[in-house]
Amino acid sequence: MSPGGGLSLKIFEVAAKIVLDEFLLEAKVKTVGALDDNLNNQEYNYLTVITGLATPWRQANPLKPIRYKEAYLKMEDIYLVYPVDPEVQLKIKLMPRVEQGIFYLGQFAIQGNLSMGQEMSLGGAVDALTKRFLALTDISI
């Protein structure tokens, strides 16, 4: 507790790459507590990002890369959040076993190792895990 009698939230800024349908976003994510806990908190409908650079995926897109100070992304529009800092990556909670899979999201095929429980199959893990964001390692898009 703070001396004034209220709760003090720990807000962090985590450098990340974020995959959206039309843009690759490089920005700092503002997170309350650990990144994975913040992303999977069902009370948050959006993600706050600062000092961003949005680059279109397609060369035919008439927009050039866009820089901005702050933005709010709807959670449902985010396909992937990749924390750039290895120390932040190590803090993400992983389950005891991994299984390689290919996940199709929008126009993307994401290959990676899904972190899951010891006795789960890949299909069972995707169906059973109730998190909004699943932990993948060693990914390629």
Side-chain angles (χ1 to χ4, degrees), residues 12-18 27-31 33-35 49-50 81-85 88-89:
F12 301 97
E13 294 176 2
V14 177
K17 293 183 180 185
I18 302 168
K28 288 185 180 176
V29 174
K30 290 184 97 173
T31 176
L35 178 63
V49 295
I50 57 174
V81 176
Y82 173 75
V84 176
D85 185 352
V88 174
Q89 293 174 11

Side-chain angles (χ1 to χ4, degrees), residues 3-44:
L7 291 177
S8 171
L9 295 176
K10 293 237 179 195
I11 299 175
F12 301 97
E13 294 176 2
V14 177
K17 293 183 180 185
I18 302 168
V19 175
L20 303 170
D21 189 44
E22 293 293 327
F23 295 93
L24 173 62
L25 180 59
E26 296 180 59
K28 288 185 180 176
V29 174
K30 290 184 97 173
T31 176
V32 178
L35 178 63
D36 52 330
D37 290 339
N38 188 87
L39 290 172
N40 285 310
N41 186 334
Q42 295 293 329
E43 293 186 22
Y44 301 141

Side-chain angles (χ1 to χ4, degrees), residues 107-121:
Q107 63 178 334
F108 301 100
I110 299 173
Q111 181 176 351
N113 295 323
L114 175 64
S115 173
M116 60 187 182
Q118 195 64 37
E119 302 298 321
M120 294 178 146
S121 67

Side-chain angles (χ1 to χ4, degrees), residues 91-140:
K91 291 180 182 176
I92 294 175
K93 297 174 209 91
L94 298 176
M95 295 177 126
R97 186 168 152 274
V98 296
E99 186 73 38
Q100 188 176 49
I102 298 175
F103 307 90
Y104 296 95
L105 301 170
Q107 63 178 334
F108 301 100
I110 299 173
Q111 181 176 351
N113 295 323
L114 175 64
S115 173
M116 60 187 182
Q118 195 64 37
E119 302 298 321
M120 294 178 146
S121 67
L122 182 60
V126 172
D127 287 340
L129 295 174
T130 58
K131 295 180 178 181
R132 185 167 33 197
F133 287 88
L134 302 177
L136 296 172
T137 58
D138 303 315
I139 64 157
S140 64

